[in-house]
Amino acid sequence: MAKLKVGILISGRGSNMAALIEAAKADGYPGEIALVVSNVADAPGVAIAQSSGIATAIVPHRGQPDRETFDRAVSAELERHGVDLVVLAGFMRIFSPWFPQRWKGRIINIHPSLLPAFKGLHVQQQAIDAGVRVSGCTVHFVTEDLDGGPIIAQAAVPVLADDTSDGLAGRILRQEHRLYPLVVRWLAEGRVSTEDGRVAVAGVPAGATLLFSPEP
Ligand code: GRF
């Protein structure tokens, strides 16, 4: 069966991108990384993608007259490479409504909190400040509603009494690297469906779309 063509959008470090590139190398993985797009030319993730032999495209957001023009330029690159699924991995731009509509049901994001708690930025600090005992990460479909699209899967990570934002972020990140390749696999296998804003994964009980961190 043809592999699902994945396009990854980044702006920085690219550790989730690297986890997906690594996962896609495994025999029988149903997705291939067809393209990495960055809006930042010197993002460390771009060099990682290039050294793995992945096609890259730089689409700078500066100098574009408006958000939609930028979005259309990104989309054109994705289409040129035959991308089926858009995966946001630390992509630090907010789309115009056009982009999520264009890729509806074929665009996902990973966010370092258990949504709908703690949207936006600095979410690990938000979790610590709120005194929650558990946080984690969420993979969700991207809609016009920022950090608000249907949730596909989550991983739970304990918040420790003396946690720092960096410490918690690092432990969440390790779970992101487990969760994202798993969700891309489910999508590539055509097992993910959405009804009334709720996502089901065929053959995976709802409880198994929640991972638990093996770390304290
Ligand atoms: C991750 O924390 C992810 O949840 C958030 O942005 C960060 C990206 O990190 N959306 P990396 O570039 O994948 O290392």
Side-chain angles (χ1 to χ4, degrees):
M1 222 174 84
K3 293 189 178 204
L4 190 83
K5 290 193 170 194
V6 176
I8 306 178
L9 270 51
I10 64 166
S11 299
R13 182 175 59 184
S15 73
N16 277 289
M17 176 210 72
L20 288 161
I21 291 173
E22 206 47 44
K25 286 182 188 162
D27 266 355
Y29 192 83
E32 63 176 287
I33 313 306
L35 177 67
V36 169
V37 181
S38 175
N39 62 313
V40 178
D42 59 357
V46 173
I48 297 171
Q50 284 168 346
S51 69
S52 305
I54 310 277
T56 58
I58 307 299
V59 183
H61 58 276
R62 285 184 205 285
Q64 305 274 7
D66 53 39
R67 281 187 198 279
E68 189 173 317
T69 308
F70 169 75
D71 291 359
R72 284 179 183 270
V74 172
S75 205
E77 287 293 344
L78 295 165
E79 281 162 41
R80 205 160 64 79
H81 287 80
V83 165
D84 303 304
L85 174 71
V86 180
V87 172
L88 307 185
F91 184 65
M92 301 303 286
R93 301 299 302 168
I94 293 174
F95 294 116
S96 68
W98 182 85
F99 197 89
Q101 276 162 21
R102 167 66 185 79
W103 293 94
K104 191 171 190 297
R106 300 194 296 140
I107 176 167
I108 59 174
N109 180 43
I110 192 159
H111 180 82
S113 77
L114 293 178
L115 290 170
F118 313 127
K119 296 180 176 181
L121 296 174
H122 312 298
V123 296
Q124 297 88 355
Q125 192 60 50
Q126 287 188 47
I128 291 168
D129 292 346
V132 295
R133 278 17 178 208
V134 63
S135 191
C137 53
T138 302
V139 179
H140 62 93
F141 283 112
V142 173
T143 63
E144 290 170 49
D145 183 10
L146 191 67
D147 297 332
I151 291 170
I152 306 170
Q154 296 183 306
V157 175
V159 180
L160 308 179
D162 55 353
D163 239 339
T164 60
S165 174
D166 284 351
L168 178 59
R171 298 200 317 286
I172 292 174
L173 195 64
R174 284 197 280 282
Q175 301 314 307
E176 295 182 33
H177 298 162
R178 291 173 69 202
L179 191 66
Y180 226 180
L182 188 62
V183 172
V184 170
R185 169 186 282 278
W186 291 336
L187 284 157
E189 290 170 345
R191 293 157 77 176
V192 180
S193 60
T194 309
E195 204 181 320
D196 294 333
R198 296 186 61 173
V199 173
V201 185
V204 181
T209 60
L210 171 63
L211 306 186
F212 289 93
S213 166
E215 307 179 288

